[in-house]
Amino acid sequence: MKIYPNELSFLLQSRVPSELWLAIGILLCIGLACIFRMKKSKEQKWRYIGVLCLAIYVFIVLCNTVIFRTDSHTSRVLLIPFWSYVEAVKESRSFYLIENLLNIILFVPIGIVLKMTFRNIKFIQILLCGLLFSLTIEISQLILYRGWFEVDDLMQNTLGAILGYFIFKILNLCMIKIYDQFRHSANSE
């Protein structure tokens, strides 16, 4: 598989202007300051922080995938599942595989933050949130001529949200075990 540097830099570049990054940072700081000044329980504050982070992350994803994308002047639809994997193997180019991996990684934080913020959320709800957000992006790209509507993107984004859910569950279990061991060793002394 060949990796072409210009293709890789294209995939990794942010489409969000630096001024908007600054505005997002300022809004995050203001939001956090407001949350910490609230007379709420610690758990409620963390939930608000999670919702704030999720909202900002969703906005950044929309900026990169729809809002600041260039207009292609045509609607393109690819309803063939796994076409990008077939192309990657057929053409011996890793561009498609890297793009697929980035599509998965893009949605991992959504699964993590949803599970962290809403502790009782179920696997199927994470799956549906990932699928619906991805579908929103794909339909927006189709209607606004900002990219292709691809079944592969739907599958990869949903997989990313699911992976985020499981990553959180595994990390949470590890943290509980570490905490229990620490507490047990502190009590035995």
Side-chain angles (χ1 to χ4, degrees):
M1 297 248 169
K2 299 174 191 165
I3 296 179
Y4 296 93
N6 60 336
E7 290 176 347
L8 186 59
S9 66
F10 168 75
L11 287 173
L12 296 176
Q13 80 184 38
S14 173
R15 293 175 180 88
V16 181
S18 55
E19 297 83 9
L20 189 56
W21 283 113
L22 179 63
I24 289 169
I26 291 169
L27 287 174
L28 179 61
C29 291
I30 292 169
L32 289 173
C34 291
I35 289 168
F36 283 116
R37 292 190 44 84
M38 291 176 158
K39 294 184 189 235
K40 302 281 184 184
S41 70
K42 200 176 202 180
E43 186 177 322
Q44 287 175 317
K45 286 181 182 181
W46 278 109
R47 180 167 287 159
Y48 286 127
I49 290 169
V51 169
L52 177 66
C53 291
L54 186 63
I56 289 172
Y57 189 76
V58 164
F59 178 70
I60 291 169
V61 169
L62 286 173
C63 284
N64 273 306
T65 57
V66 179
I67 297 169
F68 291 110
R69 260 200 167 164
T70 51
D71 190 341
S72 64
H73 304 292
T74 58
S75 294
R76 292 176 263 181
V77 178
L78 264 169
L79 300 176
I80 303 166
F82 306 109
W83 76 268
S84 55
Y85 297 98
V86 172
E87 287 296 315
V89 171
K90 189 169 75 174
E91 293 182 20
S92 291
R93 290 184 52 201
S94 60
F95 174 80
Y96 294 114
L97 293 179
I98 292 169
E99 185 179 34
N100 294 344
L101 182 62
L102 292 174
N103 275 331
I104 293 168
I105 292 169
L106 181 68
F107 271 59
V108 168
I110 291 171
I112 291 172
V113 174
L114 280 172
K115 184 62 181 166
M116 183 175 62
T117 306
F118 306 103
R119 294 292 181 136
N120 296 329
I121 196 167
K122 306 273 189 284
F123 168 81
I124 191 70
Q125 292 169 313
I126 296 280
L127 184 142
L128 288 173
C129 285
L131 178 64
L132 290 175
F133 182 45
S134 182
L135 190 59
T136 300
I137 291 169
E138 295 301 315
I139 290 172
S140 297
Q141 287 177 342
L142 181 67
I143 292 170
L144 300 172
Y145 305 116
R146 304 288 176 142
W148 294 38
F149 182 101
E150 298 181 42
V151 171
D152 279 8
D153 287 353
L154 290 172
M155 294 185 311
Q156 293 153 8
N157 295 157
T158 305
L159 176 61
I162 291 167
L163 284 174
Y165 170 83
F166 284 116
I167 288 169
F168 179 83
K169 285 189 72 110
I170 290 167
L171 290 176
N172 195 42
L173 286 174
C174 291
M175 293 303 290
I176 289 170
K177 284 186 178 186
I178 291 169
Y179 176 75
D180 286 346
Q181 287 175 350
F182 178 74
R183 193 175 62 175
H184 179 65
S185 66
N187 287 340
S188 62
E189 290 177 3

